[in-house]
Amino acid sequence: MDAVIERRGGPPNWGRVARRLLAWVGIGVPTVLVLAFATSADARYVARAGVEEARILLKRHSIAKLAADPRTAPALRQRLALVLAARAFAGDSLGLVVGETFTSYVDVGRDTLLLVLSAARRDRLRAYTWQYPIVGTVPYKGFFDFAQARAAAADLGREGYDTYLRPAGAFSTLGYFADPLLSTVMERDTMELVATVIHELAHNTLYLKSQTPFNESFASFVGYRGAEAFFRSRHDSTDARRAVARWRDERTLDVRDERTLDVLYAELARRLDSAYAAGPVGAALERARATVFGWARAQLTGPVGQSLETYDWRWFARAALNNAVVIAQRLYRMNLNLFEDIYIHANANLRETIRAIQVRVFTQPGQDPYQALYSRPGLAAD
């Protein structure tokens, strides 16, 4: 007993403790990672995404150097210069956080960067969600591997979910990395190219965890209103008008006008919720879906689709319609009028509008950022 007491009372051997800790870290951490990779599809997905991101970052070339290099194709040089100008405008005139985003360029070697998967229950308008670090819960999942994307969609389909796979030409790391400009967005017209640049920089500036509809709708608003302001500053009335027309297609600028996409998808969501509230199953569910989606198709190929200025209604005639599509389309068009209202109250000053939105969402209590947009400075949200 005395020997035991004496040993416990002596000073610890810190060298031995350190060696044991290092051994546990050196053996244990890799073991845990290997086990996670082997047993967790999410771990494999994150690892694959990290590898693909690293590959993209390793192929970066300075946009400034490419734009100044006479060996660069003239059309590419012109668009790269436009991106640099839009980036500078976003930082200097709009107050967006630009960091090192879009200072480099990568040719990814294909026309689609990744496929984005959305899914939803067939009997209710509720998104299937995925959980990720930093961004939180999101209602979509991006795949660099197209075969993997189609397999994941097929798996969810067999489980009874509506699915929607769509191509994406850009993504944002929210400023954590120096996101390069990708060749997949360079074929867009000049207005859409600038709107995309400003849209992604808006994510760098304001992004709320697990609030995807707010984040994407805010970025859509800033992207198109920002593109308008950018082209007006360059006295380019043609692209400025096109940006206004696109924003007019997205949301109504006249409360009496219901022929816009945000109003249509909001009404479609309301009708679906009403149809599903009765709890139809089997053939009754299919009839209810056919009725509501038939109404939406008639609107998209008729009065709404043919009134759009910047979209081809024939695309809507061919596009699929299901719950996953509706949810995905609404992500970028959720309560756009609230952003526009603040813009109008700020005398159409986009920089002040962005600042006001930031102040409201960060100072108002509660988890719903849209509720904060109803507030006025100095007043609590209803």
Side-chain angles (χ1 to χ4, degrees):
M1 182 66 69
D2 290 342
V4 172
I5 293 173
E6 183 179 354
R7 185 175 180 181
R8 287 184 175 176
N13 187 330
W14 291 112
R16 180 183 297 172
V17 171
R19 287 192 297 273
R20 287 182 177 178
L21 284 175
L22 288 173
W24 276 109
V25 171
I27 297 172
V29 171
T31 300
V32 170
L33 291 176
V34 168
L35 288 173
F37 188 82
T39 60
S40 169
D42 287 341
R44 292 193 296 273
Y45 170 82
V46 171
R48 174 61 187 271
V51 169
E52 293 295 339
E53 171 73 5
R55 286 177 178 172
I56 290 173
L57 294 178
L58 287 172
K59 296 196 296 183
R60 290 176 295 178
H61 297 280
S62 166
I63 291 180
K65 290 182 179 179
L66 286 172
D69 189 342
R71 294 171 295 180
T72 304
L76 179 58
R77 289 179 64 192
Q78 184 179 30
R79 286 182 171 249
L80 291 174
L82 182 66
V83 167
L84 289 179
R87 180 183 178 280
F89 180 85
D92 298 339
S93 298
L94 303 183
L96 297 182
V97 175
V98 297
E100 296 299 312
T101 301
F102 300 143
T103 58
S104 60
Y105 174 74
V106 172
D107 186 341
V108 300
R110 59 191 190 190
D111 60 3
T112 299
L113 175 66
L114 70 164
L115 290 178
V116 178
L117 172 63
S118 299
R121 291 273 300 269
R122 286 181 58 81
D123 60 351
R124 67 186 63 179
L125 204 60
R126 179 178 298 174
Y128 187 98
T129 59
W130 290 265
Q131 185 76 28
Y132 301 109
I134 300 175
V135 298
T137 302
V138 295
Y140 50 67
K141 186 173 185 177
F143 293 85
F144 290 98
D145 185 325
F146 297 171
Q148 187 181 25
R150 296 186 183 99
D155 288 342
L156 287 170
R158 283 190 289 270
E159 293 178 27
Y161 289 92
D162 281 345
T163 62
Y164 177 39
L165 271 177
R166 63 191 186 278
F171 65 91
S172 173
T173 61
L174 310 181
Y176 286 94
F177 297 98
D179 290 340
L181 180 73
L182 304 176
S183 57
T184 46
V185 304
M186 296 301 281
E187 294 304 314
R188 299 178 184 182
D189 61 57
T190 49
M191 187 279 290
E192 276 295 336
L193 177 60
V194 168
T196 298
V197 168
I198 297 176
H199 178 113
E200 299 303 333
L201 293 173
H203 284 320
N204 287 6
T205 305
L206 176 60
Y207 193 95
L208 304 179
K209 187 175 182 178
S210 302
Q211 296 290 347
T212 303
F214 176 88
N215 294 328
E216 295 296 354
S217 297
F218 167 75
S220 292
F221 159 71
V222 175
Y224 289 123
R225 281 301 193 189
E228 175 197 354
F230 169 75
F231 287 114
R232 290 198 189 284
S233 74
R234 293 163 65 90
H235 307 290
D236 183 342
S237 58
T238 299
D239 270 330
R241 284 195 298 268
R242 293 188 64 254
V244 172
R246 174 54 63 89
W247 184 236
R248 190 159 48 230
D249 282 349
E250 296 293 343
R251 70 161 301 279
T252 179
L253 300 181
D254 183 339
V255 295
R256 297 166 296 179
D257 187 0
E258 297 181 352
R259 295 174 299 174
T260 55
L261 292 173
D262 66 330
V263 174
L264 172 67
Y265 282 111
E267 175 61 16
L268 174 54
R270 188 195 67 77
R271 291 183 180 224
L272 286 171
D273 284 337
S274 178
Y276 297 145
V281 296
L285 172 62
E286 297 310 313
R287 285 194 298 271
R289 284 166 57 94
T291 298
V292 178
F293 287 129
W295 170 85
R297 179 81 63 194
Q299 295 297 310
L300 286 166
T301 58
V304 175
Q306 296 190 36
S307 70
L308 299 176
E309 301 174 68
T310 63
Y311 289 100
D312 186 345
W313 67 269
R314 290 169 294 187
W315 179 88
F316 295 111
R318 298 187 300 269
L321 269 180
N322 61 36
N323 290 351
V325 171
V326 174
I327 290 172
Q329 292 291 341
R330 293 201 73 205
L331 288 179
Y332 300 85
R333 303 180 175 100
M334 187 75 76
N335 296 325
L336 296 179
N337 61 303
L338 295 179
F339 301 108
E340 185 71 10
D341 286 346
I342 299 174
Y343 178 72
I344 293 171
H345 278 92
N347 297 316
N349 184 319
L350 186 55
R351 185 188 185 106
E352 287 302 310
T353 302
I354 295 168
R355 187 191 65 81
I357 291 171
Q358 289 177 298
V359 168
R360 293 185 192 194
V361 299
F362 287 130
T363 59
Q364 295 296 328
Q367 298 299 312
D368 182 3
Y370 280 111
Q371 188 67 20
L373 298 190
Y374 283 104
S375 71
R376 294 289 180 265
L379 299 177
D382 295 334

